[in-house]
Amino acid sequence: MTTDRTLVVADDLTGATDTGHSFAARGYETIVRIDPDFDAPEAAVFVVDTDSRYVDRDEAATRVQDVVASIEAAIVYKKVDSTLRGNLGAEIVAAYDAMDADAATVAPAFPSNDRLTASGYHLVGGKLVTNTEAGKDPDSPVETSHIPRLLRTQIDDSIAYADVECVASRSAAKKLYCSNEITGDERRIVVFDAVHDSHLDIIAEAAHEYDGDVLLVGSAGLAEAVRLPGKPTAERLTLADNPTATAFGIVGSVNPQTLTQLDALSRNRVISLDTTVAVHDPAAAAAAAADKCLKRFDSEPAVVLASARDHGDVEGTLDAANRASIPERKAREYVTSALGMAAAQVWEASEPGGLFLTGGSVAKAVLGRLDAGGIALRGEGISVGVPAGEIRGGPANGTPIVTKAGAFGDDSTIVDAINYLRRTPERSK
């Protein structure tokens, strides 16, 4: 293990991959860990998914603390959701204490992906984050868009804040680490405004020049600005001119943006999971869906299995769960499980040439069923926050993969991802 290693700790898998991509795109060897026993000592950047976004705060803190305390690293980057979901405060404190930090820089903004922080308020697509899908998240709704206020409800220490004027003046951003807002033995946690990518550059530079160990906290946006030790060594993949490989997609996100992206696919390429069965018998739904996918591969080079095509499908799933007296959260878990089982059955029978996954919990379930140890990121992306890589370990070892968070991408992103996978070379088994 090298002390030049950078450790990234994310709370879900698609967040782990999109943030890891921020380093891989600059040529740094970047590996995302899926299996807790998997390691990659050759990686300059080692990304760990604690799968802690939707667990209780104490469990989330324990998972983060265990990872940070057990992996030696020169830089620790705590990846948080760019829409503020999850256990932000608990995980920041856990990482801060585990690395014995002197300060924490908190900047979840991702301007190039339309996530901004202004006057302390976090906006997504020009809306306060509380007025987006994140504000209605059934498991972790965001209750305030004001980041310092949000953290103050979760952390006992004072929270310092740097407005956009302070950040843009450069010297002021650096001086803020000596802010009078933080006194005594409190942790030095500073929230920064950022409405432009250049602001993230300034924030990262301030952290780099700070006289002490700084915990970096942000989404994939700040990660792009972090200065790393060592030199880039990774090589890029050469794609084929024409798409010849097969590709398999699993779409478990029901975010409106993902549903719009599904509409851009040919209907012949989309198979719908029978979620009315999945909510009470995941194995039966998985077997039926896998059979349909395998038959469709006889006539189509790319097939996508989806849990929903529109909002009506989502409502139908919830109605079926309600009729069966199954709690909504448990129903979602059953659907996710069915998608994972179906993917494994398709893989065992046909071994597609590439894999596309969207939705963090679904990506985790599918890769778990495939016994994947990790993902080696290639530094290539389909669009902002939609990275490409290669599976490490298990029966899908060497398979090209593209992952996407539900809300990321434009209308053609799923089509573009499938086309990319079909142009990748034959996998190395």
Side-chain angles (χ1 to χ4, degrees), residues 258-271:
T258 291
L259 298 181
T260 297
Q261 292 162 0
L262 268 176
D263 280 342
L265 282 168
S266 165
R267 286 199 167 267
N268 290 336
R269 292 189 171 183
V270 182
I271 299 293

Side-chain angles (χ1 to χ4, degrees), residues 383-405:
S383 62
V384 176
V386 186
E390 183 176 285
I391 296 173
R392 291 280 184 89
N397 182 59
T399 300
I401 182 172
V402 173
T403 59
K404 185 186 83 71

Side-chain angles (χ1 to χ4, degrees), residues 271-315:
I271 299 293
S272 295
L273 177 75
D274 190 341
T275 55
T276 62
V277 174
V279 294
H280 61 81
D281 193 345
D291 183 61
K292 290 179 181 178
C293 290
L294 290 168
K295 289 178 179 176
R296 191 61 57 86
F297 270 122
D298 289 339
S299 59
E300 291 287 345
V303 176
V304 174
L305 175 62
S307 62
R309 292 296 305 264
D310 54 38
H311 185 68
D313 290 342
V314 178
E315 291 297 322

Side-chain angles (χ1 to χ4, degrees), residues 312-394:
D313 290 342
V314 178
E315 291 297 322
T317 301
L318 297 179
D319 287 345
N322 185 55
R323 290 194 301 273
S325 299
I326 297 171
E328 182 178 331
R329 183 166 186 171
K330 180 61 69 175
R332 289 196 299 274
E333 290 174 357
Y334 285 162
V335 169
T336 297
S337 179
L339 290 170
M341 287 188 284
Q345 291 168 29
V346 168
W347 213 270
E348 183 177 1
S350 68
E351 293 190 351
L355 181 64
F356 169 76
L357 301 172
T358 182
S361 60
V362 170
K364 188 86 170 181
V366 170
L367 292 168
R369 290 280 178 178
L370 293 175
D371 294 325
I375 297 173
L377 295 175
R378 290 181 169 146
E380 298 165 342
I382 308 306
S383 62
V384 176
V386 186
E390 183 176 285
I391 296 173
R392 291 280 184 89

Side-chain angles (χ1 to χ4, degrees), residues 9-231:
V9 185
D11 66 351
D12 89 323
L13 185 54
T14 53
T17 55
D18 77 62
T19 300
H21 173 72
S22 298
F23 300 104
R26 288 184 276 158
Y28 292 95
E29 193 75 26
T30 303
I31 304 291
V32 178
R33 186 179 83 177
I34 298 170
D35 185 328
D37 295 327
F38 178 81
D39 194 9
E42 78 280 8
V45 181
F46 194 53
V47 188
V48 177
D49 167 28
T50 55
D51 194 23
S52 53
R53 179 171 297 175
Y54 295 122
V55 302
D56 66 63
R57 291 184 183 182
D58 289 344
E59 176 63 20
T62 297
R63 294 184 189 183
V64 170
Q65 186 165 10
D66 287 349
V67 168
V68 177
S70 64
I71 299 176
E72 184 181 0
I75 296 173
V76 178
Y77 191 95
K78 178 68 198 77
K79 193 276 179 187
V80 295
D81 180 39
S82 65
T83 61
L84 309 184
R85 294 170 297 169
N87 297 290
L88 272 69
E91 296 195 5
I92 290 170
V93 167
Y96 191 109
D97 291 348
M99 67 174 285
D100 194 22
D102 298 297
T105 289
V106 182
F110 193 176
S112 61
N113 204 18
D114 218 3
R115 274 90 165 131
L116 312 177
T117 305
S119 300
Y121 288 90
H122 201 60
L123 299 96
V124 176
K127 300 179 182 178
L128 290 172
V129 67
T130 47
N131 294 333
T132 68
E133 290 295 310
K136 299 179 288 186
D137 188 293
D139 295 315
S140 181
V142 180
E143 296 179 350
T144 175
S145 300
H146 194 264
I147 299 176
R149 190 177 304 145
L150 176 67
L151 293 182
R152 287 178 190 129
T153 67
Q154 302 175 6
I155 300 174
D156 291 335
D157 299 308
S158 300
I159 304 296
Y161 161 64
D163 62 22
V164 69
E165 181 179 3
C166 180
V167 173
S169 66
R170 292 181 178 267
S171 61
K174 299 169 188 176
K175 290 178 181 178
L176 192 77
Y177 286 110
C178 301
S179 171
N180 292 330
E181 297 174 63
I182 301 171
T183 60
D185 296 328
E186 291 185 313
R187 299 176 186 87
R188 187 166 296 278
I189 300 173
V190 186
V191 174
F192 290 87
D193 275 355
V195 298
H196 191 275
D197 289 337
S198 63
H199 296 152
L200 295 178
D201 293 335
I202 293 168
I203 294 165
E205 185 65 21
H208 179 76
E209 294 185 3
Y210 181 73
D211 185 19
D213 293 326
V214 178
L215 170 66
L216 296 157
V217 182
S219 63
L222 181 63
E224 293 179 356
V226 175
R227 185 190 302 182
L228 300 188
K231 295 181 179 179

